């Protein structure tokens, strides 16, 4: 794994959800990638814990999971790197 030096100290999130209509369980699949300073630092792909009734609900649930993870990661890296909240 190679990381590149960057002057950027922003966290970027790419999120997606897949709502399988043929699936009988009603659980959508969540996937997200989290980047810090243009470097991948976290990712996840799994079935959602909540049952979604449509794709919009599945996408919203995926966004909530990704943002919670990003906030947690920001809190970890913000103090040692002296990052101010925007």
């Amino acid at each position: 794994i190679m990381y590149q030096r960057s002057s950027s100290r922003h966290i970027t999130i790419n999120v997606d959800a897949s709502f399988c209509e043929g699936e009988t369980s009603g659980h959508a699949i969540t996937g997200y990638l989290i980047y810090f300073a243009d470097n991948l630092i976290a990712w996840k792909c799994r079935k959602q814990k909540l049952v979604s009734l449509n794709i919009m609900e599945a996408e919203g649930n995926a966004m909530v999971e990704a943002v919670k993870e990003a906030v947690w990661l920001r809190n970890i890296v913000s103090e040692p790197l002296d990052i101010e909240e925007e």
Side-chain angles (χ1 to χ4, degrees):
I1 297 175
M2 294 182 59
Y3 290 97
Q4 56 187 343
R5 181 175 287 250
S6 174
S7 61
S8 168
R9 290 189 173 178
H10 294 302
I11 292 178
T12 306
I13 310 168
N14 295 328
V15 183
D16 195 20
S18 174
F19 183 73
C20 303
E21 292 184 25
E23 170 106 13
T24 58
S25 72
H27 294 274
I29 305 294
T30 290
Y32 60 80
L33 305 169
I34 300 176
Y35 296 87
F36 176 71
D38 300 326
N39 294 295
L40 182 66
I41 60 168
W43 65 91
K44 183 176 271 188
C45 182
R46 66 175 187 82
K47 277 190 174 184
Q48 292 182 358
K49 293 178 183 177
L50 302 172
V51 174
S52 301
L53 300 177
N54 57 47
I55 187 62
M56 292 301 293
E57 191 175 0
E59 293 280 353
N61 292 338
M63 184 65 71
V64 168
E65 285 188 45
V67 169
K68 286 192 313 189
E69 180 78 8
V71 168
W72 182 78
L73 287 167
R74 184 196 65 198
N75 290 337
I76 287 176
V77 300
S78 64
E79 187 175 324
L81 297 177
D82 192 32
I83 298 173
E84 296 179 11
E85 289 190 32
E86 295 180 12

